[in-house]
């Protein structure tokens, strides 16, 4: 683990995100590493197909503000400064891979839920990050019972 110098932690900000933060603390507490933390928001126009004749910009701003507040709470636990806390609009896997390239990240850390049925076939964000990532990827298994 000592070869990692810059971590990018991608969080969905669900209650299970705490498990990812806890694992990072376990693995890297005594290491000198730079940590960047991000949450990728899919633009509402993408989420709803762009067909709705309603201005959703206020809702998008509210979602970004809420995400920024939640991310700051988690980032504080890892002593991540504000300039390394990122709320980005886009497709999660693509944006995490882009950030990893641009920020010279050598390990991306994401949570991974167990998948069954159609969810297994269609994949997950953690699986999508892995394919095409410019660096190592650590998928933290989320315990659904916590």
């Amino acid at each position: 683990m000592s070869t990692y110098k810059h971590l990018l932690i991608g969080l969905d900000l669900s209650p299970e995100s705490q498990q990812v933060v806890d694992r990072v603390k376990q693995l890297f507490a005594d290491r000198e590493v730079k940590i960047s933390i991000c949450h990728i928001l899919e633009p509402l126009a993408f989420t709803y197909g762009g067909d709705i004749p309603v201005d959703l910009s206020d809702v998008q701003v509210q979602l970004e503000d809420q995400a920024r507040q939640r991310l700051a709470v988690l980032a504080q636990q890892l002593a991540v400064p504000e300039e390394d806390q990122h709320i980005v609009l886009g497709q999660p896997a693509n944006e995490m891979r882009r950030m990893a390239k641009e920020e010279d990240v050598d390990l991306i850390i994401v949570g991974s839920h167990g998948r069954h049925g159609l969810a297994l076939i269609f994949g997950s964000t953690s699986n999508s990050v892995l394919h095409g990532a410019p660096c190592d990827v650590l998928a933290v298994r989320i315990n659904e019972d916590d």
Side-chain angles (χ1 to χ4, degrees):
M1 295 289 175
S2 63
T3 61
Y4 297 119
K5 296 183 181 4
H6 188 180
L7 314 177
L8 174 63
I9 305 168
L11 299 173
D12 65 5
L13 302 182
S14 68
E16 291 84 10
S17 291
Q18 185 64 53
Q19 294 178 46
V20 177
V21 170
D22 291 344
R23 183 56 50 96
V24 171
K25 287 192 287 192
Q26 281 179 332
L27 293 173
F28 297 98
D30 60 343
R31 314 258 186 221
E32 287 208 22
V33 294
K34 176 179 179 174
I35 299 177
S36 296
I37 191 167
C38 71
H39 174 69
I40 314 301
L41 275 171
E42 293 192 51
L44 290 176
F46 291 171
T47 305
Y48 295 105
D51 299 358
I52 297 176
V54 176
D55 181 8
L56 298 174
S57 58
D58 288 342
V59 174
Q60 188 78 53
V61 169
Q62 289 175 352
L63 289 173
E64 287 179 45
D65 289 343
Q66 290 172 355
R68 194 170 321 285
Q69 291 169 14
R70 176 76 176 122
L71 192 68
V73 169
L74 294 167
Q76 184 178 20
Q77 296 177 46
L78 297 168
V80 177
E82 190 173 345
E83 63 267 15
D84 294 323
Q85 300 173 31
H86 307 279
I87 302 293
V88 179
L89 289 177
Q91 195 281 331
N94 290 342
E95 292 302 323
M96 279 188 265
R97 290 190 306 254
R98 179 191 59 75
M99 287 180 68
K101 287 177 190 168
E102 289 178 2
E103 302 288 327
D104 199 26
V105 166
D106 43 27
L107 179 64
I108 300 171
I109 302 172
V110 293
S112 177
H113 297 267
R115 298 287 172 188
H116 307 284
L118 289 176
L120 182 61
I121 293 168
F122 291 122
S124 64
T125 298
S126 57
N127 189 45
S128 297
V129 170
L130 177 62
H131 295 287
C135 60
D136 290 349
V137 176
L138 172 62
V140 175
R141 174 70 61 197
I142 299 298
N143 182 352
E144 306 288 341
D145 298 329
D146 279 0

